[in-house]
């Protein structure tokens, strides 16, 4: 079954390309109906053998956001966000669950942008920091909890941290090969 292209496909694709990590937000809460839509997008994400190895913890309590933000300095901006969704994984199959977690995260970030919001991922860090995150979220040790997806109305996508990640992207020529690694685009007839 072929799908029809969206009437505004070019615009939608450009919007996806422009999804950036936002770390600063307006104080406005995320409306309940928007949150419901986002959670529905999350739960419909594909996963390995449709195992749906996740559980989502909605965090809006200021104190809880602050405690999460204190796990690691590079995520201290979480304290001032209106919403974080912690992704908890079953812990049964770490490598496929890591992939599934990435897919959920990206869908949430794209959906947030389509809905006029923005977001970012915040990783807890090493084993000890993940243990701290799990303890805060009430997640048992044997499960995986290492990140939250933060959502809100962004004021900027500039990385304001003292040690910001470099921006921009490598060129297509640098990251794409044809047929074999390192081979350039074949001549077309
Ligand atoms: C696996 C992963 C972990 C990340 N962890 C953090 C984090 O802990 N704190 C943070 O501020 N940004 C984090 N980021 C966001 C990246 O810094 C960001 O995606 C990258 O710098 C590109 O930014 P841009 O999309 O805004 O250009 C993480 C991204 C990924 C994919």
């Amino acid at each position: 079954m072929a799908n029809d292209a969206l009437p505004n496909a070019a615009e939608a694709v450009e919007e996806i390309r422009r999804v950036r990590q936002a770390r600063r937000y307006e104080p406005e809460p995320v409306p309940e109906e928007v949150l419901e839509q986002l959670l529905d997008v999350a739960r419909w994400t594909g996963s390995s053998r449709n195992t749906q190895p996740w559980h989502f913890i909605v965090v809006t309590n200021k104190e809880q956001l602050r405690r999460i933000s204190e796990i690691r300095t590079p995520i201290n901006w979480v304290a001032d966000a209106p919403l974080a969704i912690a992704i908890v994984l079953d812990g049964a199959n770490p490598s496929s669950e890591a992939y599934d977690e990435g897919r959920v995260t990206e869908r949430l970030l794209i959906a947030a942008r389509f809905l006029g919001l923005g977001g970012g991922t915040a990783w807890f860090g090493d084993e000890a920091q993940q243990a701290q995150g799990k303890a805060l979220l009430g997640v048992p040790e044997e499960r995986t909890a290492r990140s939250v997806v933060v959502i809100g109305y962004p004021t900027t996508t500039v990385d304001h941290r003292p040690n910001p990640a470099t921006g921009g992207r490598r060129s297509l020529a640098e990251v794409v090969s044809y047929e074999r690694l390192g081979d350039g685009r074949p001549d077309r007839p």
Side-chain angles (χ1 to χ4, degrees):
M1 183 197 78
N3 286 324
D4 290 335
L6 293 178
N8 59 345
E11 199 187 328
V13 170
E14 177 60 11
E15 281 301 302
I16 293 172
R17 192 185 72 81
R18 290 164 60 95
V19 171
R20 296 275 82 78
Q21 168 101 355
R23 301 181 178 85
R24 284 195 158 152
Y25 306 94
E26 306 278 2
E28 274 81 351
V30 174
E32 199 56 39
E33 64 277 12
V34 170
L35 174 59
E36 292 296 317
Q37 279 176 288
L38 292 172
L39 292 171
D40 224 27
V41 164
R43 99 185 156 88
W44 273 100
T45 301
S47 55
S48 171
R49 296 187 62 79
N50 199 23
T51 44
Q52 305 166 64
W54 41 55
H55 188 93
F56 305 105
I57 304 178
V58 176
V59 182
T60 54
N61 179 280
K62 282 280 152 210
E63 262 310 290
Q64 184 71 326
L65 288 164
R66 186 189 56 75
R67 286 190 286 259
I68 292 169
S69 79
E70 285 173 354
I71 295 175
R72 196 167 69 96
T73 315
I75 67 167
N76 61 8
W77 49 273
V78 174
D80 298 318
L83 165 70
I85 301 173
I87 304 174
V88 182
L89 299 147
D90 291 346
N93 192 337
S95 61
S96 69
E97 287 174 16
Y99 187 91
D100 298 337
E101 179 183 15
R103 291 189 73 189
V104 174
T105 300
E106 198 60 27
R107 285 191 186 204
L108 283 169
L109 297 179
I110 292 167
R113 178 162 179 120
F114 282 2
L115 292 165
L117 294 93
T121 179
W123 273 46
F124 300 159
D126 63 22
E127 291 272 323
Q129 290 161 322
Q130 288 178 32
Q132 215 184 317
K134 286 187 211 176
L136 288 175
L137 293 162
V139 173
E141 218 176 294
E142 65 276 12
R143 296 178 75 176
T144 305
R146 65 183 148 224
S147 72
V148 290
V149 180
V150 180
I151 308 277
Y153 294 97
T155 55
T156 178
T157 53
V158 171
D159 189 347
H160 65 278
R161 297 173 299 172
N163 188 17
T166 49
R169 295 294 187 266
R170 290 187 278 150
S171 70
L172 272 185
E174 278 181 274
V175 299
V176 180
S177 303
Y178 293 84
E179 316 308 339
R180 289 176 58 80
L181 183 67
D183 288 0
R185 190 181 198 121
D187 289 337
R188 295 268 152 85

